Amino acid sequence: MLEKPLYKMMLSHSFNIPVKVTYWDGKSEVYGNGTPEVEVIFNKKIPFKDITNNASLALGEAYMNKDLEIKGSIQKLIESAYESSESFMRASKFRKFLPKQKHTEKQSQEDVQSHYDIGNDFYRLWLDPTMTYSCAYFTNGNTDDLEAAQIAKVHHILQKLNPERGKTLLDIGCGWGTLMLTAAKEYGLKVTGVTLSKEQYELVTKKINDMGLEDQAEVLLEDYRELGDRQFDYVTSVGMFEHVGSENLGEYFKDVAKYLVPNGVALIHGITRQQGGATNAWINKYIFPGGYIPGLVEIISRIEEANLQITDVEMLRRHYQRTLEIWDKNFNGARPTIEGLMGERFTRMWDMYLQACAASFQSGNIDVIQYLLTKGPSGKNLPMTRQYMLTDK
């Protein structure tokens, strides 16, 4: 019972909303003033040292295993923990970063397939019809029309490139192909997409054939580092650099530069921490093996080292928060089917993952940023003002 006072000390300073905590002995306490907005129930005592060693891993596993229950919004609870100035989520003595991750081509393939090859049927249950698994772009405010927002995101990215018909585009980490196929069909570009996911490769290949775009689009099941001396007028990469690891971030941007023709344009879209790079042990173990969220300064320095120049930077934090909230709503709408397909533990894990990420964006713990880059003087061959980016397709 010696650990319980330590729990009380930690939890009494962990949230900026009133929270009810029910301990493993059945006794409850309310921390904060007012009616509790969320209740945390410890069905089993978690060793306190496990929490201090790595809170995200210890508490995430406890929730997956039903040793920990949360009544109310997981997102609100985690957001509160991030925003509380004294929270264990912020205190440096409780932060533990993972050891260096391997990111060989073989390891990258295993990491990607462990996440994206869960199955297209799983992702269809809660993504929008475009099967886009990245931050949407809500041009009409806080709308619930996720499909329209994902299509708007694709056009927003392509318009930033100011593309000319007949030119070439490389999409690094092409996902289920919405961006590359839109670029081919609606912008007249010759496109190449690369992915390490077999499920994505097979679906994109089918889409290319179904749309009659065989002469204009190709998808490759290979590592982006294997493209040799090929060059393209434009490069896009959405939600990709979070997978390459800190040690490979410089190589990633150098490859972007290598694949661009002189004065070519790239749009790189990815999750970034403005406070500095970090990993999350629970997400790395169960959701994104090998994942690393780079810091803003780290990314800027790698861009500079690759001899690329920044033309435009846009923060889309609130857009990703809203995207995740809709994904989680869709996910829970399909929860019985997902539990039948994947099991209860997996379903609890993914629900927590989606809500935790939404809370992290909401609190400003992480951001998502679009970097418009040129291989040559910034903005060369692009319009003088940003207005061209905002013209509706």
Side-chain angles (χ1 to χ4, degrees):
M1 297 301 292
L2 291 176
E3 287 191 332
K4 191 170 179 182
L6 296 175
Y7 267 83
K8 289 184 175 183
M9 179 184 69
M10 176 183 70
L11 293 172
S12 65
H13 295 89
S14 290
F15 309 104
N16 65 0
I17 59 172
V19 174
K20 180 181 178 181
V21 177
T22 299
Y23 290 98
W24 49 88
D25 59 6
K27 296 180 180 179
S28 299
E29 302 237 7
V30 175
Y31 301 111
N33 299 319
T35 303
E37 298 183 33
V38 182
E39 181 179 3
V40 178
I41 303 168
F42 289 94
N43 293 323
K44 179 181 177 181
K45 181 175 66 174
I46 305 165
F48 190 73
K49 65 178 177 63
D50 290 352
I51 297 175
T52 58
N53 282 342
N54 205 307
S56 69
L57 184 61
L59 297 176
E61 288 182 335
Y63 183 78
M64 290 165 58
N65 298 330
K66 301 183 79 170
D67 296 334
L68 175 71
E69 296 284 355
I70 299 172
K71 291 185 177 180
S73 170
I74 296 172
Q75 179 181 341
K76 180 177 286 189
L77 182 72
I78 295 177
E79 178 202 353
S80 173
Y82 278 124
E83 291 184 348
S84 174
S85 61
E86 297 182 81
S87 170
F88 67 92
M89 297 286 280
R90 286 188 174 274
S92 60
K93 63 183 178 181
F94 292 121
R95 285 183 181 165
K96 299 289 180 180
F97 294 103
L98 296 179
K100 196 172 186 179
Q101 301 280 332
K102 292 190 298 179
H103 283 89
T104 62
E105 291 185 12
K106 182 176 184 298
Q107 187 64 52
S108 294
Q109 182 178 32
E110 291 174 358
D111 290 346
V112 168
Q113 290 179 356
S114 73
H115 185 85
Y116 294 99
D117 286 349
I118 294 172
N120 291 342
D121 290 342
F122 165 68
Y123 287 104
R124 281 194 188 97
L125 289 170
W126 53 277
L127 293 178
D128 72 284
T130 70
M131 292 284 283
T132 303
Y133 185 31
S134 56
C135 173
Y137 184 64
F138 295 93
T139 57
N140 296 315
N142 200 27
T143 177
D144 284 335
D145 191 341
L146 181 59
E147 181 180 6
Q150 291 291 11
I151 293 171
K153 185 271 297 296
V154 167
H155 287 298
H156 192 50
I157 288 172
L158 292 172
Q159 284 166 193
K160 285 186 175 183
L161 299 174
N162 199 37
E164 297 179 29
R165 300 183 73 85
K167 290 197 171 183
T168 56
L169 180 143
L170 168 67
D171 190 19
I172 299 175
C174 64
W176 285 279
T178 301
L179 187 151
M180 60 173 285
L181 297 178
T182 300
K185 184 177 180 180
E186 299 190 36
Y187 290 80
L189 298 178
K190 296 180 179 179
V191 299
T192 297
V194 293
T195 179
L196 289 173
S197 165
K198 293 178 182 178
E199 294 262 338
Q200 291 179 343
Y201 170 79
E202 291 172 0
L203 184 58
V204 176
T205 299
K206 183 177 184 303
K207 285 182 177 181
I208 290 172
N209 294 331
D210 290 347
M211 296 170 71
L213 293 173
E214 296 92 337
D215 294 335
Q216 208 169 336
E218 64 173 346
V219 60
L220 306 176
L221 182 63
E222 63 185 49
D223 193 283
Y224 71 96
R225 291 168 286 192
E226 296 178 348
L227 294 176
D229 295 328
R230 294 186 65 178
Q231 286 193 312
F232 303 82
D233 299 293
Y234 313 106
V235 171
T236 53
S237 186
V238 180
M240 170 63 191
F241 65 54
E242 304 95 311
H243 295 287
V244 306
S246 177
E247 68 278 14
N248 285 335
L249 193 63
E251 179 186 1
Y252 167 82
F253 280 105
K254 287 177 182 177
D255 280 336
V256 169
K258 181 178 75 171
Y259 297 139
L260 280 173
V261 300
N263 298 315
V265 184
L267 190 289
I268 310 299
H269 168 124
I271 301 172
T272 308
R273 284 191 87 245
Q274 295 203 33
Q275 304 91 328
T279 56
N280 180 289
W282 180 72
I283 290 178
N284 270 60
K285 183 174 181 179
Y286 291 102
I287 307 293
F288 281 112
Y292 171 77
I293 306 301
L296 180 59
V297 173
E298 182 180 13
I299 288 175
I300 298 299
S301 65
R302 297 298 179 267
I303 290 171
E304 185 272 332
E305 290 168 3
N307 292 319
L308 294 167
Q309 293 201 7
I310 298 172
T311 292
D312 188 80
V313 175
E314 183 178 9
M315 281 65 175
L316 298 177
R317 177 186 63 80
R318 295 170 63 194
H319 294 264
Y320 216 159
Q321 174 195 336
R322 186 67 190 130
T323 303
L324 283 153
E325 289 170 348
I326 297 175
W327 281 346
D328 191 66
K329 180 181 177 181
N330 294 346
F331 183 90
N332 279 289
R335 192 171 186 123
T337 302
I338 294 171
E339 284 190 356
L341 185 68
M342 311 299 293
E344 184 182 16
R345 188 171 187 264
F346 175 94
T347 304
R348 289 171 66 88
M349 174 182 77
W350 267 78
D351 184 24
M352 171 166 271
Y353 156 65
L354 293 171
Q355 291 198 56
C357 288
S360 203
F361 281 107
Q362 187 171 9
S363 66
N365 182 55
I366 53 177
D367 207 330
V368 62
I369 300 177
Q370 291 186 350
Y371 306 85
L372 185 63
L373 311 175
T374 53
K375 185 178 179 179
S378 65
K380 188 172 182 178
N381 300 328
L382 292 173
M384 287 285 284
T385 74
R386 300 183 79 252
Q387 188 61 39
Y388 81 96
M389 303 178 187
L390 307 176
T391 304
D392 290 338
K393 172 67 181 176

